[in-house]
Amino acid sequence: MSFDAAIIGLGYVGLPLAQEASKVGVKVLGFDVNQGVVDDLNAGRSHVDDLSDADVAAMVEAGFHATTDSEQLAEVKTLVICVPTPLAEDGGPDLGPVNAAVATVAKHLQPGQTVILESTTYPGTTDEVVRPVLEAGGLTAGVDFHLAFSPERIDPGNEKFGAKNTPKVVGGHNEASGDAAAAFYGQFVDTVVRTKGTREAETAKLLENTYRHINIALVNEMARFCHDLGIDLWDVIEAAKTKPFGFQAFYPGPGVGGHCIPIDPNYLSYNVRSKLGYPFRFVELAQEINATMPAYVVGRAQNILNDDAKALRGSTVLLLGVTYKPNIADQRESPAVPLAKQLMERGAKVQYHDPMVTNWTAAGDGVEGVSDLNAAVAAADLTILVQNHKSYDIDALAEASQRFFDTRGAAHDSEKAERL
């Protein structure tokens, strides 16, 4: 079978993209270095929250095929790189996965192909990192092959917006490259938004998530002083968001998690420091505030137990929800990890319950999973709502608990509940 496009990296970004393309008749080759992922997909088994086994089976029926054989990349017209870019130890992006993917593409690059990078990174990556590797074989970007950047905007678990109806930002190395990339996405995405170039497209993604990062930090800091002043911040937000213009509601929490908010703004901050020699102060302050929220939650937990004449050391603390957002199994950068570790460092016995996670080891072996939720809530000295999954009846759980600390503003009717 011949293929029209290859999606390189079949995770939370690449697989939904492949699904939408397959729906309109684009023959998609999925490439991944993980043989287990490839075998599961070809057998109709999904490994991401947003696609069911039936969804993957329908893709296979439509002609989708996954492989670890990079030789097949030479046979497609469009190649889209969707590999992760985690943070490196120095605070910048770890481009290891991107570099590996680009090297693989370069080995098989053919004249007339279009290469699109979707992996989130710092401005200039497409031109300064990707292009030289692809051109090393003698072909020229914008002449012999097209090169573009189109930031991924996948929001796992979002039931309203997916790959099809989320506008697709596209920036080409030149106009012809932008045209080619826009034509590819235009087959299955409702709206394509063009930028002047790759750097603008790269920076647009970072601006989106930096905006959220900073505003989350704002309400996290407000949560602290509102508590000290006896002000119900959750009520404040509900009142403020009735304004039909000029305000968007953000909510405090035990920390930020996921594949974007804790990571992407740091790419921009790193880029500013490394290239311009001065700090991006808003981002760095926001990172400082958000990163200290787990410690703040631990301090509040200790105070709640003190009110019951209990010490944190020796108390049983039950964490409800350990994923980074509700109703999905994704645990990337979940604030539950530093929260659990800091509780254990202070001598607490930490347990967890999560309907989406059967085996949680991210915080170490000292955290015990519980299967009987009601019994665990009744027995724990303190129950902390970390992630509000829809299967939780928060008010009932709060009422059944000895003490309940709600970091998501979901409990309303119990005197035993204290909100962040």
Side-chain angles (χ1 to χ4, degrees), residues 78-97:
T78 304
L79 304 103
V80 187
I81 299 171
C82 301
V83 296
T85 45
L87 278 182
E89 291 184 1
D90 63 357
D94 177 0
L95 293 181

Side-chain angles (χ1 to χ4, degrees), residues 89-105:
E89 291 184 1
D90 63 357
D94 177 0
L95 293 181
V98 169
N99 289 334
V102 173
T104 299
V105 169

Side-chain angles (χ1 to χ4, degrees), residues 74-406:
E75 303 170 6
V76 303
K77 181 179 179 181
T78 304
L79 304 103
V80 187
I81 299 171
C82 301
V83 296
T85 45
L87 278 182
E89 291 184 1
D90 63 357
D94 177 0
L95 293 181
V98 169
N99 289 334
V102 173
T104 299
V105 169
K107 190 183 304 183
H108 305 289
L109 186 65
Q110 301 296 313
Q113 287 185 315
T114 298
V115 180
I116 305 170
L117 178 65
E118 285 210 6
S119 305
T120 305
T121 184
Y122 60 84
T125 300
T126 305
D127 187 57
E128 299 167 8
V129 176
V130 177
R131 183 174 61 84
V133 175
L134 297 180
E135 291 184 336
L139 300 179
T140 301
V143 178
D144 301 306
F145 69 94
H146 298 303
L147 177 63
F149 182 83
S150 180
E152 61 90 359
R153 282 172 152 181
I154 295 296
D155 183 19
N158 192 320
E159 297 179 356
K160 184 177 180 181
F161 292 105
K164 184 180 189 301
N165 64 347
T166 300
K168 202 79 175 78
V169 172
V170 172
H173 174 69
N174 59 3
E175 186 173 355
S177 292
D179 290 343
F184 168 70
Y185 289 118
Q187 298 174 90
F188 55 89
V189 177
D190 293 342
T191 305
V192 175
V193 180
R194 297 284 293 272
T195 62
K196 289 183 176 180
T198 57
R199 281 177 169 82
E200 286 77 14
E202 290 163 338
T203 309
K205 172 61 184 292
L206 299 183
L207 176 60
E208 294 168 16
N209 287 330
T210 299
Y211 167 81
R212 293 174 62 196
H213 184 59
I214 289 172
N215 280 282
I216 291 169
L218 170 65
V219 293
N220 276 337
E221 188 162 41
M222 288 192 71
R224 302 184 189 204
F225 71 71
C226 281
H227 172 70
D228 292 340
L229 293 172
I231 298 169
D232 185 339
L233 176 61
W234 302 95
D235 192 52
V236 170
I237 296 171
E238 288 302 304
K241 75 179 187 181
T242 61
K243 186 178 182 181
F245 53 88
F247 180 82
Q248 180 179 354
F250 288 84
Y251 299 92
V256 293
H259 61 300
C260 290
I261 303 303
I263 297 175
D264 296 356
N266 290 313
Y267 297 164
L268 195 52
S269 177
Y270 173 86
N271 193 236
V272 170
R273 273 192 177 273
S274 62
K275 288 193 173 182
L276 302 179
Y278 52 80
F280 192 166
R281 290 184 293 171
F282 262 123
V283 169
E284 294 182 6
L285 178 59
Q287 180 64 21
E288 178 186 331
I289 292 169
N290 289 335
T292 58
M293 285 307 292
Y296 174 73
V297 170
V298 171
R300 287 280 300 276
Q302 189 168 30
N303 291 339
I304 292 170
L305 287 168
N306 283 344
D307 289 342
D308 286 347
K310 295 179 180 179
L312 182 57
R313 179 172 298 278
S315 290
T316 297
V317 179
L318 173 65
L319 305 182
L320 299 184
V322 296
T323 59
Y324 89 86
K325 66 183 300 186
N327 311 317
I328 65 171
D330 195 339
Q331 304 167 40
R332 286 175 292 176
E333 307 297 326
S334 170
V337 175
L339 178 56
K341 288 181 177 179
Q342 292 180 44
L343 286 167
M344 288 188 290
E345 287 171 0
R346 296 201 188 187
K349 178 184 177 182
V350 179
Q351 299 177 333
Y352 87 93
H353 177 276
D354 194 307
M356 310 298 296
V357 180
T358 56
N359 185 29
W360 190 52
T361 59
D365 297 332
V367 183
E368 174 191 355
V370 298
S371 56
D372 189 333
L373 175 59
N374 293 328
V377 167
D381 296 290
L382 175 64
T383 297
I384 302 179
L385 178 65
V386 183
Q387 197 52 261
N388 184 19
H389 294 300
K390 62 184 177 183
S391 62
Y392 288 147
D393 183 340
I394 301 302
D395 289 328
L397 291 171
E399 191 60 32
S401 70
Q402 295 186 40
R403 290 297 297 273
F404 194 90
F405 185 18
D406 172 17

